[in-house]
Amino acid sequence: MIKAIRGTRDILPPSSAVWNYVESAAREVFRTFHCQEIRTPLFESTELFARGVGADTDIVSKEMYTWQDRDGSSLTLRPENTASVIRAYIEHRLDQQPGLKKLYYIGPMFRRERPQKGRYRQFSQIGAEVIGSESPAVDAEVIEMVLEVLARCGVESAHLILNSVGCPKCRPGFVEELRERLQPLKSSLCQDCQRRTDSNPLRVLDCKVPEDQPVIDSLPSILDHLCEACADHFAAVRRLLDVRAIDYEIRSRLVRGLDYYTRTTFEVTHGALGAQNSILGGGRYDGLAESLGSRVAAPGIGFSIG
């Protein structure tokens, strides 16, 4: 008997009704925040993700579904959607239209992960991107929108974690210090982190292997290495969240798993989910358009649930 591919699943009634409820609740919140829907293709040029997400990320190096098309081009099922949204923003010159671009999406993503509880090879994401401003007020608004989506879906006791990962001006110095600190400890780390110590030391902070945590806890904090502009931006985001009475925890090890993040990064967790307790993540990506080879400025911040 032919069955669904391992790592995929059928959404059957009554579960499909719950999915419809969550999607409807999210759309209602997005309308409140004046977001409009964008629908991007399920597959893109492989180069989009290699350059946008980062060649050394687990997504690009291990998890993408990639194939060669008949004309010899390399295509990939989208593993995430921020890079696709920015590609569409650049391609269709949305920067020429007045005002911020507030875009949301709901749809399937694909990663060739080892199937386990809560992880699937085809999974659905709900996300939003606000493009066109470097203002910390936009960061606070996006975080407020995130929490409102969760509240509208009935999620209580969500825990917001906040950090800043700096910018191309201040982060290289911190990365070099990390590399120097990690070299004598390299042999005690997991295999992935041994590789990351040389190629991308910042990613070591994102490691979830329990045995690596004592080493990670001994490393310097990026918050002590922020340039004045990044420090001021992070302080402004915190003030704006305080004004909104939004509780948060600052965690300097939060770097997320994608290379395009700059300055604000955040994650929402829930204690009832066990070890894999992350509900959503997001952050600012002011340099993503530039990494794609574009001269169009597209500073922005976004998040994805799922």
Side-chain angles (χ1 to χ4, degrees), residues 7 19 33 36 38 50 54 78 105 114 141 169 201 218 260 285:
W19 280 59
F33 282 82
Q36 296 179 302
I38 182 171
R78 62 186 188 191
Y105 55 85
R114 180 172 62 86
E141 180 183 358
K169 177 181 178 181
S218 71
Y260 53 61
Y285 45 79

Side-chain angles (χ1 to χ4, degrees), residues 48 51-53 80 82-84 86-87 90 260 262 285-294 298:
L48 173 68
R51 293 175 61 177
V53 176
E80 61 95 54
T82 298
S84 295
I86 294 299
R87 189 268 309 148
I90 295 168
Y260 53 61
T262 56
Y285 45 79
D286 293 347
L288 177 54
E290 183 178 351
S291 70
L292 298 178
S294 172

